Amino acid sequence: IQRRVHGTTTSNRNIIQMFRSVCRRPTLVTSTSAVRPIFGTSSGIGSSASRHSTTEINERLQQTKESDVTPPPFINALDNSVCPEAFERLKVTSKKTPQEALEKMTNKAAATLETAEAEASANKQSAPVSTKLKKLRKKCKASEPLPHFDVCVIGGGPAGVASALRAVDYNKKVCLIEKGKVGGADLWNGALQSKTMWEMSKFVDKVNSDSMGRVYDVSKLRECITFNETKMRGSIIAAAEFRESQLLQALNAADVKLLEGSAMFASPTEVNVHNDVTGEYNTVTADYFIISTGSTPRDHPHFPTDGESIITSDEVMMQQLPKSVVIVGAGVIGCEFASIFANFGKTNVHIIDKAPRILPMEDEDIALYVQSMLERKGVTVHHEASLFDLQAFENDDGTKGVQYMIQNNKTKAVETYSVDKALISIGRVPNYKGLGLENTKCKVTDGRMRVDGFQRCAPHTHIYAVGDATVDIALVNMAETEGKLAIDHIYSAKQEQPPVIDNLSTIMFLDEEVAAVGLNEQQCRQQQISYLMARYGYEFVSRAVAMGDTKGFIKIIVTNDREKRVLGVRAIGPHASSVVELASLAIHNKASAYELAELMTAYPAITQGFQECLRMLLGRSILKPNVFPQLILRSWEPSDFERGRNYRKGGGDVGHTCAPPPALE
């Protein structure tokens, strides 16, 4: 009835919910009031906001061909006082008796429900969390006419949640619009799930490594362990649901109104929200709007994805591990998935890299170290190569695969390979789809929103864009920071200058953790900054030796002058992210290595390596530089260093306050 009268569709899940009680009760519902909730949407018969007249219903029914009308199963259950004329017409156009129609649909719904419940019981790990999530989601939904809000946040990812909860700190009335699940790409197909998968791949790699021989008979251990992909994917989903439940609880406790649906600007001060599932429409007005709609994987300009054989990071984690895969793009995301596949040891991995080396934004020693670890695990890297052709195919036996051709950028030679899947990993783009920006004055240039230093969408002063929606730096910590700073700019004392974030810490999950903060060597050279660099290998860190994992090193960069201001830190290896945080505040405060040297780390700890590396720069280390190949100290200066020093003496320019020290080997 709802389908034919209102022209809407009903999903299988809704059918199951509608018939759940019918499937388990011996008698039919005969009360009109009990049936009316079926139509309880904002545009339905049972809605207090809008009721369809008998004439309107008859007109809609007249538009529907008699041959297309499906038998309504609830005819005898309905009280014809709901709409007598429509009721009689439905009885006439029915091809089956009500009892036959009801019996058929009931059996179908019961069978579907049984299948769904069987699938749910197969994954007992995530079931308890799902039950809690349903209650939290229902509790957060809007169920009453909407008031005017102080802040309307569009998008429930990291930036959106941070913006909403920061506005609550200022005692503001906030609504959050999300068309999917709260948490955004971070929780559902991005950072959290991929890092959960990485952690499990590291565990599998550890079990298969020689280090397990310190405790177990490795040959017998491997015979007893069976890798279960279903449990792995269940753990990935459980991690996302666990974090979502926390966010929903926080939003509910803060009295943030959560609206489910797609948001579209009707004007610069008004947003329409449409829920595709319920058909419900809402209009939201607010003083300020925060656009935090996130990003999506960038499409390849020549080879579209199909979600099966040619995929992106949105699909890869919920599919079976392929026997072979080609990854198009050797950036952070591509190298992370290459590391994950290699650690599981079940996939032959190929990477297409148009540059001479992977991770072009990082220093050469970092990139080559990561590349060597990947190659030792069987990863093939096609350097200086371009994707010439990419086609999905299906064999006679039903198996699918991908054939790709690469062309060497130097020799122009073409090679052909066949793999099971292709992963397109060439970056991400902002998601403005259906946002209605044309109804505002917000400017989008080359697919990017134009914002000022305070994240305002010029020329508006009440619309902000934060997180991946601006594609400044696509990181969760940066998105959350931008969201909070936008709210602070609205409600705190107005700042004359935009904030400068110069100590943003990042971490890449490759074969080992790769963490960074501040400048690296190639950035210093691009900015003509004379620097001094010390590198300390994990082989000389007692905690790493105790762990049986000495792969990696710590690198600290300071200015090549008397002050030795800390410019940046890089670390590869276990606990690398904890190491770089030691220097984050020092970089922000423009502190010197002498001030940071007052730090006293615990022993044995990985941070001991950071302390000794810092002491190498000051000539105070226990192990002296360049005695071992893994202990390195070197300097770099621009070719015009002497001339620059003479002209700018006393000017306080970084790297030009004194003569350079003697050259180091």
Side-chain angles (χ1 to χ4, degrees), residues 56 208 256 274 276 338 348 351 388 394 449 493 535 544 547:
E56 183 180 356
N208 293 327
V256 173
H274 176 229
D276 294 331
N348 185 16
I351 303 177
F388 190 76
E394 183 174 357
M449 185 90 70
R535 194 169 73 194
M547 294 169 62

Side-chain angles (χ1 to χ4, degrees), residues 1 5 38 75 107 166 192 236 263 276 331 394 513 529 642:
I1 297 172
V5 174
I38 296 174
I75 289 179
N107 293 337
R166 182 56 178 155
L192 177 63
I236 292 173
D276 294 331
E394 183 174 357
E513 291 182 31
I529 300 175
E642 283 295 331

